[in-house]
Amino acid sequence: MKFDPAIPCGFVLDLLLGDPDWMPHPVVYMGRAISALEDVLRPRLPQTPEGELLGGAILAAALPAGTYVLTSGACALAKKIHPALGVGLETVWCWQALALKGLAQESARVQRELERGDLPAARRAVGRIVGRDTENLSAEGVAKAAVETVAENFSDGVAAPLFYMLAGGAPLALTYKAVNTMDSMVGYKNHRYLYFGRAAARLDDLANLAPSRLAALCWVGAAHLTGQDGPSAWRIWRRDRRNHASPNSAQTESACAGALGVQLAGPASYFGKTVDKPAIGDPKRPVEPADIGRANKMLYAAAGLALGAGLLGRALARRKK
């Protein structure tokens, strides 16, 4: 396994530049492909649970497979034209597969609005990065939502893409992004997607099983590195990592709750309906705006640990060959 400069270079570009608005992003095209496939499949299959399950399964197979074939073919062609072009294309796609700086920037905006005392603006800011209803959140509820999304999205926005790009380069990382984007668009348990989105949701759960647990361990390490409560992060992760309907979502949330000494999760409103979710962590104190900044420090430290561990693992694998 040769050293791939595209991975650390892509990481640094994300760290420095985030996601510029002017730059076309693969996830946008993935979203369009998902909508187009849904529009094609739904009218052509029986309007029954079985028909919708079949349509969803076709979507869940076609989009990741198509993404991998397209991106690996493009990388191979670029390398054939010139090795530098191949590295350049992979670097850009590694950069775009990550969401480290964007997540930190959006959550920091929430913190600034809360510290200014502008609750309506803080609600709007947090509404950009969470899926729950935000119009009636208190200031503490806004801060808690932001901390939760920083912790949870470290797993699927940073750690998991890193995991897959370290395993298979930019094509595999973008294939993971296709799976994750599918889940975010159709993986809901509502009337429209209860059956059609089931395959996408199950595939996303499977794709995140290993990365989410590795991400939690990185978060525990980050708690130690940033002066938070590392032993409590470990303890609460061990205790509460299964406190979610998803097998993966509570992994990093529990480590974050323990590190900060706060309680996360609990009841939340989605599309006007309250969903009772188990609490994560111990309510030693209320969540405060400064906790968003603390979570972001752990986010950066955990990302550095994930990259460092991954590159070290690849280097050791090369030495054994």
Side-chain angles (χ1 to χ4, degrees), residues 38-262:
E38 182 180 358
D39 290 343
V40 168
L41 289 168
R42 279 191 181 274
R44 288 166 173 77
L45 292 168
Q47 303 301 303
T48 62
E50 293 77 13
E52 292 198 0
L53 285 170
L54 176 60
I58 294 171
L59 171 64
L63 186 74
T67 299
Y68 186 78
V69 169
L70 181 63
T71 55
S72 58
C75 287
L77 179 60
K79 287 176 184 176
K80 190 173 181 180
I81 294 171
H82 195 282
L85 182 61
V87 172
L89 180 60
E90 283 219 48
T91 296
V92 170
W93 277 346
C94 286
W95 165 22
Q96 293 184 310
L98 298 167
L100 175 58
K101 185 171 184 179
L103 178 59
Q105 285 178 322
E106 292 291 339
S107 55
R109 182 178 291 116
V110 179
Q111 181 179 354
R112 287 195 300 271
E113 299 297 353
L114 286 172
E115 289 174 345
R116 288 174 50 203
D118 193 339
L119 182 55
R123 287 169 174 163
R124 290 192 297 272
V126 81
R128 291 165 54 92
I129 54 174
V130 302
R132 73 190 64 182
D133 301 333
T134 62
E135 60 271 14
N136 295 317
L137 288 179
S138 64
E140 182 185 356
V142 169
K144 185 167 85 165
V147 170
E148 288 172 7
T149 202
V150 168
E152 183 178 349
N153 284 302
F154 166 65
S155 180
D156 57 16
V158 182
L162 266 176
F163 177 87
Y164 285 105
M165 73 176 65
L166 287 161
L172 197 58
L174 289 178
T175 300
Y176 166 77
K177 294 296 287 185
V179 172
N180 192 242
T181 303
M182 237 182 351
D183 178 61
S184 69
M185 289 183 65
V186 305
Y188 295 102
K189 293 182 179 179
N190 56 23
H191 177 73
R192 180 174 177 81
Y193 292 118
L194 180 62
Y195 298 106
F196 189 84
R198 188 169 298 178
R202 295 291 182 270
L203 184 60
D204 185 71
D205 285 344
L206 181 62
N208 281 293
L209 277 176
S212 65
R213 284 146 183 81
L214 294 172
L217 295 177
C218 289
W219 201 279
V220 172
H224 285 280
L225 291 175
T226 58
Q228 303 305 317
D229 193 340
S232 183
W234 172 259
R235 179 178 62 84
I236 298 298
W237 172 66
R238 295 276 296 168
R239 189 191 74 187
D240 292 350
R241 67 187 187 274
R242 298 185 182 90
N243 284 9
H244 200 283
S246 162
N248 307 313
S249 293
Q251 299 289 329
T252 44
E253 274 192 55
S254 56
C256 183
L260 294 174
V262 299

Side-chain angles (χ1 to χ4, degrees), residues 35 60 301 314:
S35 297
R314 284 170 64 98

